Amino acid sequence: MDWNLILFITKWATIGLFYAVLLLLLFGVYREMSQNPHKVTPVKPVPNGRLRVISAGDDGHLRQGSVLDISADNRLGADKDNDILLRDSYVSRRHARLRWDRANWWVEDLNSKNGTMVDRHRCTPGVPYPLTVGSILSIGDMSFELIDQDTGYADGASKTGCLTTGGRHSPDLDWVLCPGRLFFG
Amino acid sequence: MFDRRVLHLARIAVVSLVLASVILVYWQTAHSAALNPFTIRPAINTQWSNSPGQAPAQADQEFIAGVSQALDLENQPAPVVQRTIDLLKRIRRGAIYDRNGRQLVVDRQGADGTWERFYNEPSLAHAVGYVSGLRIGVTGIERSYNTTLLGLDRPDAQIDQLLHRPIQGSDLILTIDTPTQRLADNALHGKQGAIVVLDEHNGAVLAMASSPRFDPNRIHEESYLHTLLAACDGTTPCQGALINRASQSAYSPGSTWKTVSLIAALDSGQVHPGTIFDFGAPVQGPNGPYYIYTVDGGVIPDPNHSERRLDLTMSYAKSANAAFAKIGDQMPADILLSYARKLGFGKPGEVSFPLEIEYTPSQIAWDTDSLYSNNLLRAATSIGQGEVLASPLNMGMVVLSVLNGGRMPIPYFVQSIREPSGRIVEATRQPGVENIMRPQTAQEVRDMMVATVTRGTGQKAAVPGLVVGGKTGTAQVGGDAAPHSWFVGFAESGGRGVVIAVVIENGGEGSQAAASIFSEIAQVAVGRLGEGAGLPPFIPGGTANP
Amino acid sequence: MEGIALILIGFFALVAFFSANAGMQVRQGLNPLTGLPGALLPPLLVMMVFAVFHYLLRALKLRSEQILFPVVCLLLIVGLVMIWRLRGPEGIWQQILRGLFPGLLAAAFLVAQPVWIERIRRRAVPIGILGLGLLILTGIFGSVDETGARLALKIGPLPAIQTSEPLKLILIIFLAWFIARQSKAAESRTSILFGRLRLPALGHLFLGVLSAGLAALSLVLMSDYGAVLILGCISITMLYAGFETRTFLDIIAIGLIMSLVMGLVLSVTWKIPAVIQYRFQAYQNPWSQEMMMVDGRSTGVTIAEGPGYQVQQAIYAVIAGGISGSGLGFGSPNYVPLAHSDFILAAVVEELGAGIGVAVLFLFAVLLLRIFRPIFRLPPGRVFDRLLLVGIGIHLFTQVFVMAGGTLNLLPVTGVTVPFLSLGGTALLTNLVEVGLVLALIRRQEDTNDHV
């Protein structure tokens, strides 16, 4: 067996396979670009904000201080088909609706039994009520804080129940005040 | 804004990577020759002459410098040397044979698998040459046929190279005849000088000896190089063992150069064989009477004959200085120069031939313009003194042109190339120099050369049973040193013949030392030529793939 | 797409390892099949791990990025083949066990739990302090290598860590966090004016630049100039990307003033290190027969023999390769110093040819663009995520370019590794974690888009 010839062939096979992968990947890039050329910039409105759990009520699935990602339109309630499932015993099956209209957040009480509160004001059922960053949304025994998407945290994080100095320290420095958070959520 | 800045960054990055790719391709294309191991070849261009102005010691030292440069490769970057060695390990250099199939040079494999070169015929050291430590051609035929010997001019070897197979170089079959070569080498034993034996019809080199010589098997040893150089400190005369005196030397040719003046004068119609020269009254000297020729106040002595009147044939045969001084004096410089140039003589380095070995071009004068104005120089040049410098090989080529009716074949060594497959390829032959003289002139000169041996100064060169012609030469070297002894001539029998040029340094009269060596070699060489005719019996084996 | 690509890469890996092994054996005059099982085990194992990772990505429904992972796989295989060829089983198993497996494990974890990006972001400051601490520890307790620099930290029975490698990622995370915080504030807040020079949020900027400078300074003291260069490039590009041009120029001005002050302080005691001096001499002419000068004194070694030697070797390796290379196992890349790490590109070009050499550089360009791609799709506002992507992309790119430039004498030689190719467990681990971060970001973004 002429190994020199075989190795010459495998040498070119190596190069050929390398280029085969390369061309395949380039083809993938090309197909992706030709299929959705306008998808480079997102067209969907993206909600700007998240909910931080301030009080979890008796819902064992949520923890104080954790953050919920929310979409542009959310239904809140105890039923399983809700976008955000709240298992507190004071929460109605269909409790409230939280919407983003590309500018502001609105909350609307859906005729709940125990009502919905924004910054301690009870909302009239069926009437949307605006929320701003830092607003506290209370549903049943649970309460949430609306926080900014990027810088992440509204002022007043001291409400989270850690050691507080009563001042306006940055939540990014929470770990100084709450060393436990360094390791647990 | 953010997106645009990121796009800028991406663009810069992609352009940088493209730049790196371009530089990669740049190194591979623009500098690829730098790595090619077969282009590493030191430029060795040395010459040696006995003329005042260049000491042999200096030339030899230059030569040694060139060799050591090739050996330890100080000027090559380390990576080139390493990679060249890697590449050459896989190549078996071709062997070299003489015309009878005798192995002259062969590669043998050492215990560690590397190839080593052995030279079986040290007397051919100058012509065949040797390879450097990197097995790259340095001198002689090893140099001019480097690519062939490495096999890299063959497509199948190039394929082998691609496939990383071992490569077998092609063998060379030379025109050298080892018995003749040894005879020439023996004749020079203990003397300094050179002998060239050529086939009279095509210029094939049958023997080329130069003395003193060196052992090419030991040339890599630094101590051996120092021994060769021992006397070359500039104060004592240097042996110059590394110089090929047959082709790289520049001797004063003495009377042998009268052949060139004769060709010029006869062919241009200045004289004819019957022209009579009257030398006038002789002058009395301490060693008896001698003739003189006076030109522009200068005197050229002519002690070679006693006759007052000689015709051209006998003037040549008896080497009459006065006759040739007169021819030179009266000949226009243009005519002399045009013939001399065709035969290889010009300004230093002006005329060269496509030879397979190192060759120092002969010269007629340091400056050819002076031949127009200086009549004395022209007269002295015509008798082979003046500023004329020649190598034995070039003088032999002059005789070749006479024997071939005015056509001068270029001497060659490599008869054919044998590829590892067994295919034998004729070596490409250089075209000769045409129309140097009319055929009639050539015949007349040839007759006069024969007359020199039968009736003139060259009688010692005669060989029973052969037609022999030639010219003696006694080149004065100045001082108290004995003159260089020259004989250049031919010997033939039954349509075959050889041209032999002999020079013995400080050998005395050309009619004595050189002429007898000529006859000794001619006797054998013509017979060997008969035996070597046709395809040589070839001994394969020893070079085929093991 | 990804699956087909991985199958082809698998074939490539098998053929490449087969010919590398056979080539090496043939060259030694042995049977080409000697040691074949040992040669085929690493590629088979690695391909299996790749397949597992691929199925993980499919299970997690990461559909929008099918190119990035195969590109990384292909580069990894090329690197592993060269390491096998240059360093044998010892080198390749070190690379696989210390770099590839833990790296892919970490990447898989990040992709599965993208929320960890959020957690990392919130802990940017402790992570930064941890990095500096590691650096200082290395400077004090690190093991000294042959060049006299302390670069590796060895803790207990664990394998040594090249501290500067994770430090680069830590700097990226820290800067991304820092700039994301600052950029909005810097552009809105009123600033102190010195003529045209605006000094926005001076205190915070000072803090940021100071910490980056501190890291660089420690590396200088450890004489790891390659890492300093990479850190500098990452910082500058991230600042450029994160801030408005004017703010960016202001920061550069602050940086210049600070380095000028530091330079003045240092110039009393500190000279340009000799290493940098003769690397520059070698860059100007690697073949130079001049003597190497340090502090005006000759060292008795020519540049060609000293620092120019490795550049020469690299260039001749590149030249020796030609278009298609010598074939695996048939070249002489071992002549190049550090052919298995810093100069692995020279070894790749010598044995696999300029064709693959250029293609590898091209793959890195594709990789960079794939890392940058999500930036244009992320919702506006997620500055941290974007800066993380910019930092990671630029990190990989600068390492490749610095080494490609060093190999081809386009830049002075700086000792850094080539991502995914070079031998080096910590470096590979860091690079794979970066890939994991990118994939996790893409996954999180996909989820957000799906919800709307």
Side-chain angles (χ1 to χ4, degrees):
Chain A
M1 206 153 34
D2 186 354
W3 276 100
N4 291 92
L5 191 63
I6 291 172
L7 288 179
F8 185 74
I9 294 165
T10 53
K11 168 184 155 183
W12 283 96
T14 313
I15 296 173
L17 280 167
F18 187 95
Y19 270 90
V21 178
L22 194 70
L23 290 179
L24 181 72
L25 295 176
L26 283 185
F27 172 71
V29 173
Y30 168 77
R31 203 177 55 176
E32 182 187 284
M33 283 167 74
S34 58
Q35 270 178 358
N36 40 13
H38 57 276
K39 218 187 165 182
V40 178
T41 51
V43 285
K44 297 175 193 166
V46 176
N48 180 21
R50 284 177 294 178
L51 290 180
R52 173 192 288 213
V53 179
I54 290 173
S55 157
D58 52 3
D59 184 346
H61 293 82
L62 286 180
R63 204 166 47 223
Q64 194 179 41
S66 61
V67 176
L68 303 177
D69 277 329
I70 47 178
S71 57
D73 192 352
N74 313 271
R75 280 167 199 279
L76 294 80
D79 250 16
K80 288 206 170 171
D81 59 345
N82 280 296
D83 298 310
I84 297 172
L85 181 60
L86 304 172
R87 294 189 179 83
D88 185 59
S89 42
Y90 294 98
V91 175
S92 304
R93 287 180 173 194
R94 296 170 196 282
H95 198 112
R97 184 178 177 196
L98 188 61
R99 272 189 312 121
W100 167 253
D101 70 348
R102 301 193 188 203
N104 289 298
W105 286 101
W106 299 86
V107 66
E108 184 187 343
D109 187 71
L110 301 174
N111 278 320
S112 65
K113 203 172 172 187
N114 294 308
T116 303
M117 307 221 328
V118 173
D119 291 340
R120 295 173 190 246
H121 295 283
R122 183 172 292 275
C123 304
T124 316
V127 177
Y129 194 88
L131 286 160
T132 55
V133 169
S135 296
I136 304 292
L137 175 70
S138 305
I139 294 174
D141 256 4
M142 309 175 85
S143 55
F144 305 92
E145 180 192 359
L146 185 70
I147 55 173
D148 188 68
Q149 181 88 22
D150 313 303
T151 52
Y153 306 91
D155 287 339
S158 55
K159 288 170 193 165
T160 51
C162 251
L163 257 177
T164 66
T165 51
R168 294 162 57 83
H169 74 271
S170 161
D172 292 340
L173 299 176
D174 268 0
W175 57 276
V176 177
L177 304 170
C178 319
R181 288 220 181 135
L182 209 56
F183 305 103
F184 313 105
Chain B
M1 277 313 284
F2 191 100
D3 292 1
R4 235 169 60 195
R5 293 194 294 262
V6 174
L7 270 181
H8 283 317
L9 287 178
R11 240 172 253 154
I12 291 170
V14 170
V15 167
S16 319
L17 288 173
V18 169
L19 180 69
S21 307
V22 169
I23 298 289
L24 198 163
V25 175
Y26 157 79
W27 280 116
Q28 285 209 341
T29 49
H31 294 261
S32 60
L35 187 71
N36 187 345
F38 315 111
T39 59
I40 307 166
R41 193 179 292 169
I44 296 179
N45 184 19
T46 49
Q47 62 175 44
W48 177 77
S49 87
N50 64 344
S51 66
Q54 191 183 16
Q58 185 196 340
D60 233 15
Q61 241 148 14
E62 280 171 21
F63 192 85
I64 293 283
V67 170
S68 44
Q69 207 174 32
L71 290 179
D72 57 28
L73 293 143
E74 268 176 11
N75 293 335
Q76 296 298 336
V80 177
V81 178
Q82 292 164 345
R83 282 165 192 279
T84 306
I85 291 170
D86 271 6
L87 208 57
L88 292 178
K89 259 186 203 161
R90 292 203 305 271
I91 300 181
R92 180 176 184 186
R93 217 176 153 88
I96 300 178
Y97 296 89
D98 81 345
R99 63 164 53 207
N100 312 309
R102 225 188 87 88
Q103 209 168 48
L104 302 174
V105 185
V106 70
D107 255 20
R108 284 189 209 145
Q109 200 159 26
D112 57 344
T114 55
W115 295 100
E116 210 179 328
R117 204 138 176 86
F118 284 92
Y119 295 89
N120 297 326
E121 194 57 56
S123 67
L124 276 165
H126 292 104
V128 168
Y130 54 88
V131 289
S132 76
L134 264 190
R135 302 172 56 73
I136 296 163
V138 172
T139 60
I141 292 160
E142 291 270 28
R143 167 175 163 145
S144 51
Y145 280 85
N146 188 35
T147 323
T148 309
L149 285 165
L150 288 170
L152 294 169
D153 56 348
R154 296 195 320 264
D156 63 299
Q158 284 158 4
I159 289 170
D160 284 344
Q161 199 181 3
L162 267 183
L163 297 183
H164 307 286
R165 285 183 187 137
I167 295 170
Q168 166 75 57
S170 305
D171 298 340
L172 297 183
I173 296 146
L174 302 188
T175 57
I176 295 285
D177 179 54
T178 309
T180 314
Q181 172 71 27
R182 291 210 176 140
L183 193 66
D185 184 53
N186 278 336
L188 286 174
H189 188 72
K191 306 184 180 75
Q192 295 190 13
I195 295 172
V196 182
V197 184
L198 308 169
D199 185 315
E200 69 167 20
H201 293 301
N202 50 22
V205 181
L206 299 170
M208 179 176 273
S210 169
S211 176
R213 55 179 165 83
F214 61 93
D215 184 356
N217 291 317
R218 296 181 61 198
I219 197 76
H220 310 302
E221 301 166 21
E222 207 168 317
S223 58
Y224 181 66
L225 271 181
H226 283 299
T227 325
L228 286 180
L229 257 179
C232 297
D233 54 2
T235 52
T236 50
C238 179
Q239 301 245 311
L242 290 165
I243 304 292
N244 184 358
R245 284 169 158 76
S247 68
Q248 279 181 293
S249 58
Y251 291 108
S252 180
S255 300
T256 55
W257 210 77
K258 283 174 184 154
T259 314
V260 178
S261 331
L262 180 70
I263 290 168
L266 271 177
D267 201 52
S268 60
Q270 310 277 318
V271 291
H272 57 85
T275 308
I276 304 290
F277 293 90
D278 189 336
F279 305 115
V283 182
Q284 287 300 323
N287 302 331
Y290 65 96
Y291 298 94
I292 55 164
Y293 182 77
T294 318
V295 50
D296 291 355
V299 170
I300 290 173
D302 180 7
N304 298 346
H305 59 95
S306 51
E307 296 84 350
R308 180 174 169 156
R309 284 160 60 92
L310 285 174
D311 65 358
L312 182 62
T313 305
M314 284 317 291
S315 298
Y316 179 80
K318 297 210 171 229
S319 201
N321 286 346
F324 281 87
K326 186 178 178 192
I327 290 172
D329 183 21
Q330 290 174 354
M331 183 161 25
D334 275 338
I335 292 177
L336 181 64
L337 266 173
S338 76
Y339 282 94
R341 281 198 179 112
K342 280 191 269 187
L343 289 164
F345 300 84
K347 271 188 294 200
E350 186 186 347
V351 191
S352 193
F353 299 109
L355 290 164
E356 291 155 341
I357 53 168
E358 289 77 13
Y359 175 71
T360 303
S362 303
Q363 72 172 56
I364 185 169
W366 292 107
D367 177 12
T368 46
D369 288 344
S370 57
L371 286 174
Y372 289 84
S373 52
N374 190 340
N375 293 333
L376 177 60
L377 178 68
R378 204 167 62 242
T381 300
S382 302
I383 63 164
Q385 295 292 334
E387 296 167 358
V388 186
L389 294 174
S391 57
L393 180 64
N394 199 176
M395 292 315 297
M397 288 163 76
V398 171
V399 179
L400 274 183
S401 72
V402 170
L403 296 177
N404 287 285
R407 180 185 166 277
M408 182 168 75
I410 304 297
Y412 67 94
F413 289 85
V414 180
Q415 173 173 302
S416 50
I417 296 158
R418 190 183 66 164
E419 295 179 357
S421 61
R423 197 166 77 97
I424 292 182
V425 187
E426 286 291 306
T428 44
R429 191 114 346 130
Q430 298 294 338
V433 184
E434 302 287 343
N435 301 324
I436 294 172
M437 66 193 101
R438 289 178 283 118
Q440 196 203 333
T441 313
Q443 187 58 43
E444 287 165 2
V445 176
R446 187 180 183 281
D447 291 345
M448 289 185 205
M449 291 176 85
V450 173
T452 308
V453 175
T454 50
R455 290 180 283 160
T457 53
Q459 291 178 20
K460 281 221 164 180
V463 181
L466 297 182
V467 180
V468 179
K471 183 77 192 82
T472 56
T474 309
Q476 306 298 330
V477 289
D480 296 334
H484 292 349
S485 179
W486 276 86
F487 192 92
V488 182
F490 63 90
E492 56 184 34
S493 159
R496 303 193 191 104
V498 292
V499 169
I500 304 177
V502 182
V503 63
I504 306 294
E505 285 175 31
N506 311 114
E509 292 279 327
S511 53
Q512 304 299 318
S516 47
I517 288 174
F518 173 92
S519 99
E520 190 186 325
I521 294 170
Q523 219 161 7
V524 177
V526 178
R528 291 292 310 166
L529 200 61
E531 282 181 27
L535 265 178
F538 200 66
I539 308 162
T543 57
N545 260 320
Chain C
M1 170 60 73
E2 196 171 274
I4 302 170
L6 281 177
I7 289 169
L8 274 177
I9 291 171
F11 280 122
F12 168 74
L14 290 178
V15 172
F17 272 87
F18 171 80
S19 44
N21 181 60
M24 283 156 72
Q25 306 294 352
V26 162
R27 207 176 181 189
Q28 288 171 17
L30 299 172
N31 182 358
L33 297 177
T34 316
L36 190 62
L40 291 187
L41 184 62
L44 284 172
L45 198 64
V46 167
M47 285 317 298
M48 270 162 59
V49 173
F50 285 167
V52 169
F53 196 89
H54 165 67
Y55 281 111
L56 176 78
L57 293 186
R58 274 182 65 170
L60 295 171
K61 297 195 169 56
L62 187 74
R63 296 221 170 275
S64 69
E65 184 51 76
Q66 305 270 309
I67 310 291
L68 186 61
F69 182 59
V71 167
V72 171
C73 290
L74 189 54
L75 288 171
L76 281 172
I77 292 292
V78 170
L80 287 177
V81 168
M82 288 323 295
I83 289 166
W84 165 264
R85 193 239 167 285
L86 292 162
R87 278 297 162 116
E90 192 197 340
I92 200 168
W93 286 116
Q94 183 193 336
Q95 179 83 336
I96 291 175
L97 296 179
R98 293 197 195 160
L100 205 144
F101 285 177
L104 280 180
L105 207 63
F109 175 78
L110 283 170
V111 181
Q113 299 281 330
V115 70
W116 268 84
I117 291 180
E118 193 51 45
R119 297 183 176 171
I120 288 170
R121 187 188 75 158
R122 268 191 273 150
R123 283 161 190 75
V125 175
I127 287 174
I129 289 172
L130 180 79
L132 271 183
L134 266 180
L135 195 60
I136 292 164
L137 274 179
T138 313
I140 299 169
F141 300 112
S143 42
V144 180
D145 70 359
E146 62 270 20
T147 59
R150 283 176 199 273
L151 303 176
L153 183 63
K154 194 152 168 47
I155 307 166
L158 293 169
I161 302 170
Q162 295 283 322
T163 324
S164 62
E165 297 294 341
L167 187 73
K168 288 165 192 161
L169 180 57
I170 286 172
L171 181 86
I172 293 169
I173 292 168
F174 180 77
L175 274 179
W177 168 81
F178 176 75
I179 296 170
R181 260 179 73 86
Q182 291 303 314
S183 56
K184 271 191 179 171
E187 275 151 31
S188 58
R189 228 168 267 174
T190 43
S191 43
I192 309 157
L193 275 152
F194 291 132
R196 279 199 70 246
L197 185 68
R198 292 159 68 249
L199 298 180
L202 192 65
H204 284 106
L205 272 181
F206 186 77
L207 186 78
V209 177
L210 187 72
S211 44
L214 209 64
L217 185 69
S218 339
L219 286 170
V220 165
L221 295 178
M222 289 158 64
S223 63
D224 187 357
Y225 305 104
V228 176
L229 182 71
I230 302 295
L231 287 190
C233 285
I234 292 172
S235 313
I236 287 189
T237 41
M238 284 180 75
L239 289 171
Y240 169 75
F243 287 109
E244 289 295 322
T245 313
R246 214 157 55 160
T247 323
F248 171 68
L249 291 177
D250 293 345
I251 295 166
I252 294 296
I254 295 175
L256 278 180
I257 292 167
M258 275 175 56
S259 33
L260 213 67
V261 172
M262 280 216 279
L264 279 177
V265 174
L266 286 173
S267 63
V268 182
T269 54
W270 194 74
K271 296 190 201 78
I272 296 177
V275 182
I276 292 182
Q277 265 184 40
Y278 35 77
R279 287 220 172 132
F280 249 99
Q281 289 169 341
Y283 167 63
Q284 284 160 348
N285 181 8
W287 290 272
S288 171
Q289 291 297 321
E290 282 170 45
M291 286 295 155
M292 229 156 70
M293 302 296 279
V294 175
D295 302 337
R297 281 198 314 267
S298 168
T299 52
V301 180
T302 61
I303 289 167
E305 295 162 350
Y309 182 75
Q310 53 184 353
V311 185
Q312 282 183 32
Q313 287 285 14
I315 288 173
Y316 283 113
V318 166
I319 294 173
I323 297 281
S324 63
S326 64
L328 282 163
F330 286 111
S332 315
N334 279 316
Y335 287 133
V336 187
L338 294 174
H340 56 279
S341 65
D342 295 11
F343 285 99
I344 197 158
L345 283 173
V348 168
V349 175
E350 175 167 4
E351 297 228 314
L352 293 168
I356 286 191
V358 170
V360 162
L361 293 179
F362 182 79
L363 274 183
F364 276 112
V366 171
L367 183 70
L368 178 82
L369 295 180
R370 294 312 284 191
I371 290 174
F372 278 2
R373 193 178 73 126
I375 292 174
F376 308 107
R377 304 180 155 216
L378 277 173
R382 284 194 180 168
V383 183
F384 175 79
D385 296 0
R386 285 150 186 267
L387 283 169
L388 201 59
L389 290 171
V390 170
I392 289 169
I394 290 297
H395 172 208
L396 296 180
F397 158 73
T398 34
Q399 300 231 131
V400 174
F401 184 64
V402 161
M403 255 358 279
T407 306
L408 300 165
N409 203 33
L410 184 64
L411 301 170
V413 173
T414 321
V416 296
T417 55
V418 183
F420 308 119
L421 295 182
S422 295
L423 177 61
T426 322
L428 184 57
L429 177 64
T430 310
N431 293 330
L432 285 174
V433 167
E434 288 174 344
V435 170
L437 282 173
V438 173
L439 289 174
L441 276 172
I442 293 170
R443 174 146 182 257
R444 205 170 76 160
Q445 169 211 345
E446 263 185 2
D447 289 354
T448 323
N449 287 350
D450 289 348
H451 276 274
V452 176

